[in-house]
């Protein structure tokens, strides 16, 4: 990754597209873009291999924006982040294919909603929030959560396209699980500090 970024930066400098004093900014931006691109391509490949791209896009349409507002578990390294994210996507595809009783789905959705309402936003060492950010992220997460719940209830009431409601619920469920994992990690880190 570093070699590729440096190669691109060298080319940009030789073409006089970037000033010397702005190199670090461009380096950071390029790293972020390339990492996101690698993640997205990997997720799509997982969806294609699982024969589940559409359901992944539906679940991701709520999981991604909700997770950005809620926070939760984050790996400490780039490689760890990549592996963990790919595992989450794989599990999400499996969940989207799973048959579950309505009672189990409803209970999972309620527990996830409660976790999101209680824990949002969750900070970590890479994401420390100011008070105004916390307030804003919390409000945005609640609005997203309310919106997806309303859409899911409407779909259930009209009894058409139930699979869409299930896929949306899975996005919320995984957000709740990631928040719970974040709490678990926090407690584990605090315990290690005491030892």
């Amino acid at each position: 990754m570093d070699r590729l970024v440096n190669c691109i930066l060298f080319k940009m400098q030789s073409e006089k597209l970037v000033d010397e004093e702005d190199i670090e900014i461009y380096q950071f931006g390029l790293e972020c873009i390339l990492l996101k691109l690698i993640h997205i391509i990997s997720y799509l490949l997982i969806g294609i291999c699982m024969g589940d791209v559409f359901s992944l896009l539906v679940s991701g349409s709520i999981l991604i924006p909700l997770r950005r507002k809620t926070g939760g578990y984050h790996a400490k390294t780039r490689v760890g982040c990549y592996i963990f994210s790919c595992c989450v996507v794989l599990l999400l595809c499996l969940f989207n294919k799973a048959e579950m009783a309505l009672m189990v789905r409803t209970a999972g959705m309620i527990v996830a909603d409660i976790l999101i309402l209680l824990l949002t936003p969750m900070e970590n060492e890479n994401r420390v929030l100011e008070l105004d950010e916390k307030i804003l992220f919390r409000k945005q997460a609640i609005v997203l959560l309310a919106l997806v719940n309303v859409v899911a209830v409407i779909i259930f009431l009209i009894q058409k396209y139930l699979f869409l409601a299930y896929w949306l619920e899975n996005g919320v469920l995984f957000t709740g699980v990631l928040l719970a994992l974040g709490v678990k990690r926090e407690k584990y880190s605090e315990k290690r500090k005491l030892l």
Side-chain angles (χ1 to χ4, degrees):
M1 177 65 76
D2 290 337
R3 206 176 291 157
L4 180 59
V5 168
N6 289 335
C7 182
I8 293 170
L9 282 174
F10 178 77
K11 183 71 174 161
M12 289 174 74
Q13 279 182 304
S14 66
E15 297 288 329
K16 305 264 191 262
L17 297 173
V18 61
D19 293 330
E20 185 69 36
E21 63 269 5
D22 296 333
I23 282 291
E24 285 182 27
I25 296 168
Y26 281 92
Q27 182 176 10
F28 177 76
L30 281 170
E31 286 175 9
C32 289
I33 289 169
L34 289 172
L35 285 172
K36 289 285 182 203
L37 191 60
I38 290 168
H39 280 252
I40 290 168
I41 290 169
S42 298
Y43 303 159
L44 289 173
L45 287 173
I46 291 169
I48 290 167
C49 290
M50 298 291 292
D52 226 9
V53 175
F54 184 62
S55 74
L56 182 60
L57 292 175
V58 172
S59 295
S61 72
I62 191 61
L63 174 63
I64 293 167
L66 199 53
R67 179 139 161 80
R68 283 196 179 134
K69 303 306 173 194
T70 61
Y73 179 84
H74 284 277
K76 291 187 177 189
T77 65
R78 285 183 193 169
V79 173
C81 176
Y82 176 75
I83 292 169
F84 181 77
S85 298
C86 287
C87 288
V88 167
V89 169
L90 180 65
L91 286 172
L92 187 56
C93 287
L94 291 172
F95 252 74
N96 284 344
K97 288 181 176 226
E99 294 288 329
M100 284 185 266
L102 182 59
M103 187 91 136
V104 173
R105 287 187 179 279
T106 305
M109 186 75 163
I110 290 169
V111 169
D113 283 358
I114 291 169
L115 285 171
I116 292 167
L117 290 172
L118 291 177
L119 300 174
T120 298
M122 182 178 288
E123 296 179 299
N124 62 50
E125 62 271 1
N126 295 328
R127 184 182 185 206
V128 179
L129 302 172
E130 300 292 326
L131 180 60
D132 58 333
E133 290 175 313
K134 288 179 184 179
I135 293 168
L136 178 65
F137 286 175
R138 181 166 179 73
K139 284 180 184 176
Q140 290 172 337
I142 290 170
V143 168
L144 280 168
L145 189 60
L147 180 65
V148 76
N149 282 319
V150 167
V151 169
V153 167
I154 290 170
I155 291 171
F156 279 119
L157 290 175
I158 62 174
Q159 288 292 302
K160 205 168 185 181
Y161 306 115
L162 289 175
F163 58 91
L164 290 174
Y166 298 151
W167 296 342
L168 288 170
E169 285 177 358
N170 286 341
V172 173
L173 180 67
F174 272 64
T175 303
V177 168
L178 292 169
L179 276 168
L181 287 173
V183 169
K184 180 105 172 123
R185 181 183 202 166
E186 241 177 58
K187 287 183 180 179
Y188 178 75
S189 295
E190 287 173 13
K191 200 176 195 180
R192 286 189 69 192
K193 286 178 188 175
L194 294 175
L195 297 175

